[in-house]
Amino acid sequence: MQCAESLRVQAVFDGELDAVSAAAVERHAEHCPECQALREHLKETRARIRRDLDYGHASPELRGRIARMLDAEQAAERRAARPPVRPAWRARPFWLGTLTGAGAALAASLAAVLLAPLLPAALPDQLVAAHLRSLAPGQLTAVISTDRHTVKPWFAGRTDVSPVVADFGPQGYRLVGGRADNLDHQRIAVLVYEHGAHVINVFTFLPGREALPAERSRLGFHIVCWRGGDLGYCAVSDAGWEELASLRQLLLGEAVRDAR
Amino acid sequence: MDDKRTRFEALVLPHLDAAHRLARWLCRSPGDADDIVQEAFMRAYRAFDSLRGADARPWLLAIVRNCHLSALAEGRRRAYEPLTEEHEAQQSVAAAAAAPDPESASIERDERRTLARLIAALPEDQREVLLLREMEDMSYREIAAVAQVPIGTVMSRLARARAALKALWPEMQGEPRAVR
């Protein structure tokens, strides 16, 4: 019922074909009533849409909101431009410990990083750098609680993801709190667990298409990454492999319950 | 730093109206559209370094579209809302065309509303390519970048959207055709 040339007629109409191909289509259309009708219809649709459809403009309010948002982003970048507390930490500035409790301190601890013109560090390096930084005094948690109903809502508005939050105290993994951090252009969520004398940071973020790194160690720290739903998780700690694997299992189980 | 803001305002901000139109037509509620556009501009600003000289408009509109999809996913998690199947969408196109407009003050106004209703009732993937083509005057390649589909898919969606309108064309003609 539809002429095989119809998509090409449309492409000519949309200016997508080179002159030679367009001429061929024109020659065909001369003898094809269906394609002639199609061409008329295309013209009419375009005229009507361009004449009758409301083009609309962004409201002054929206422009104002965007200007204020840019002001805030710029201010955050300026604050982040201050020298970090531990400048020795060169291993890819994309991270810095963030949001230490009270408001003012927060700014100083924001990454130096957003500025620095950097080669993006490999994910494991960034994770270990962030983990180390979090171990500096006062850097570990911004919200301190073992209660998931306190920790989870805290992330809203501070991070781009809403992580699965659960305390596994009975199983030996005590939830001590969380914080926000920066990874590339994301504000990611970090959950902090204690396991015996070990601190485990669980980073939750939106993964790209590429595979997450396999289990590996950097500077003696162990990194275990996995996907759960549409989120990526990486646990970093000096705890043993088995211990990280157990926490992964617990969190995966929690994610399955949460996803229902 | 200031330089980044200046470049952003020169390259990206001019496409605010286009971003707003796309958001309006994707999510249909003006308030939601503003939220989506603001979110998109924030993501765009944060990712601005990744633009690297590419054309800003398809890049920005792709971000708008992604923000719309995340907002949609977020909304679905809260209140499950079934996706409109294509045949249902076609039925609603027919219903939209047939629905009488109680406040039809003038035929022209009426026609505008009918056209808007017809387009709003198209399946989202078709509506999107049609509007990017006709309102934003984008090339197939640019549309493909925004919608994140191959160019062939852009062409077939565009053809289907236009055919769907054609099927209902006579019903939206209040008067003899004047458009040529």
Side-chain angles (χ1 to χ4, degrees):
Chain A
M1 149 192 156
Q2 184 137 45
C3 177
E5 289 292 312
S6 63
L7 280 184
R8 278 156 59 85
V9 170
Q10 176 180 255
V12 172
F13 174 75
D14 287 323
E16 295 276 346
L17 283 197
D18 62 87
V20 174
S21 315
V25 174
E26 290 301 324
R27 280 197 297 281
H28 161 80
E30 276 173 32
H31 307 290
C32 178
E34 195 188 315
C35 286
Q36 287 165 16
L38 172 61
R39 210 155 48 181
E40 283 307 303
H41 167 66
L42 292 174
K43 275 187 214 161
E44 195 173 339
T45 313
R46 172 162 301 166
R48 201 166 259 281
I49 290 177
R50 292 189 175 173
R51 189 194 65 190
D52 288 347
L53 213 53
D54 180 15
Y55 271 55
H57 290 286
S59 63
E61 289 76 22
L62 178 58
R63 281 183 188 275
R65 279 169 62 182
I66 287 174
R68 286 192 295 280
M69 177 277 293
L70 289 175
D71 289 343
E73 289 288 312
Q74 229 180 343
E77 284 177 331
R78 282 213 195 89
R79 284 196 298 271
R82 286 193 213 161
V85 183
R86 297 175 60 190
W89 208 258
R90 307 222 98 179
R92 276 45 199 255
F94 233 85
W95 288 88
L96 271 198
T98 51
L99 308 192
T100 53
L106 177 161
S109 62
L110 259 172
V113 210
L114 293 165
L115 305 173
L118 15 129
L119 299 169
L123 185 63
D125 291 332
Q126 295 188 41
L127 290 169
V128 166
H131 178 74
L132 278 166
R133 232 171 260 120
S134 76
L135 301 178
Q139 301 288 323
L140 188 60
T141 51
V143 52
I144 301 175
S145 174
T146 58
D147 180 4
R148 54 185 294 184
H149 299 297
T150 304
V151 175
K152 187 161 172 96
W154 183 88
F155 285 112
R158 291 183 171 90
T159 59
D160 294 331
V161 294
S162 181
V164 170
V165 178
D167 175 43
F168 303 110
Q171 294 95 329
Y173 299 87
R174 197 168 72 87
L175 176 69
V176 294
R179 69 178 185 279
D181 219 330
N182 284 300
L183 171 58
D184 291 339
H185 297 293
Q186 286 183 44
R187 301 176 301 165
I188 69 165
V190 189
L191 291 179
V192 184
Y193 288 94
E194 271 177 9
H195 180 66
H198 304 288
V199 169
I200 306 175
N201 275 302
V202 179
F203 300 88
T204 308
F205 51 94
L206 267 174
R209 289 214 187 115
E210 62 281 356
L212 294 173
E215 296 187 352
R216 65 181 66 201
S217 45
R218 278 280 189 286
L219 305 173
F221 294 96
H222 296 151
I223 306 171
V224 174
C225 295
W226 67 95
R227 283 176 189 262
D230 52 355
L231 295 178
Y233 298 82
C234 287
V236 182
S237 180
D238 52 359
W241 290 117
E242 295 78 359
E243 290 155 309
L244 289 183
S246 308
L247 180 58
R248 173 179 62 192
Q249 283 317 112
L250 291 168
L251 281 167
L252 274 173
E254 194 60 32
V256 168
R257 273 191 293 284
D258 194 58
R260 251 175 235 150
Chain B
M1 174 88 25
D2 288 321
D3 179 48
K4 177 181 173 187
R5 170 107 181 234
T6 311
R7 282 186 299 122
F8 184 82
E9 291 190 346
L11 284 174
V12 183
L13 213 54
H15 305 301
L16 173 58
D17 281 340
H20 179 252
R21 276 195 293 275
L22 178 63
R24 276 282 307 272
W25 280 102
L26 286 176
C27 71
R28 301 185 208 178
S29 138
D32 291 351
D34 280 9
D35 290 346
I36 283 168
V37 171
Q38 185 179 351
E39 171 74 20
F41 268 80
M42 190 177 80
R43 289 196 202 178
Y45 185 74
R46 290 182 179 171
F48 186 48
D49 292 335
S50 71
L51 180 59
R52 289 205 189 91
D55 187 3
R57 191 168 60 148
W59 176 78
L60 175 68
L61 295 187
I63 297 177
V64 170
R65 185 175 177 278
N66 287 340
C67 287
H68 162 68
L69 293 179
S70 346
L72 214 59
E74 184 62 31
R76 275 212 193 97
R77 243 171 275 151
R78 288 200 204 108
Y80 176 70
E81 189 188 346
L83 277 169
T84 315
E85 295 296 333
E86 189 146 331
H87 66 274
E88 286 174 4
Q90 300 297 356
Q91 283 170 3
S92 63
V93 171
D101 184 343
E103 305 165 26
S104 59
S106 75
I107 288 167
E108 192 187 315
R109 230 178 113 164
D110 194 33
E111 279 204 13
R112 282 183 188 204
R113 286 194 192 164
T114 312
L115 179 66
R117 270 207 306 267
L118 286 178
I119 291 177
L122 289 173
E124 185 167 306
D125 54 358
Q126 294 179 24
R127 184 167 70 235
E128 176 177 75
V129 295
L130 182 70
L131 292 165
L132 292 174
R133 180 68 201 101
E134 301 296 22
M135 291 188 87
E136 308 304 337
D137 205 14
M138 292 176 99
S139 70
Y140 291 177
R141 183 179 300 279
E142 290 173 319
I143 298 171
V146 173
Q148 289 152 37
V149 293
I151 287 179
T153 308
V154 171
M155 292 170 71
S156 56
R157 285 183 185 172
L158 204 44
R160 268 183 282 140
R162 286 162 161 168
L165 289 182
K166 184 182 186 181
L168 295 149
W169 222 231
E171 295 174 47
M172 60 174 295
Q173 301 290 326
E175 291 286 300
R177 302 186 180 196
V179 188
R180 260 303 120 96

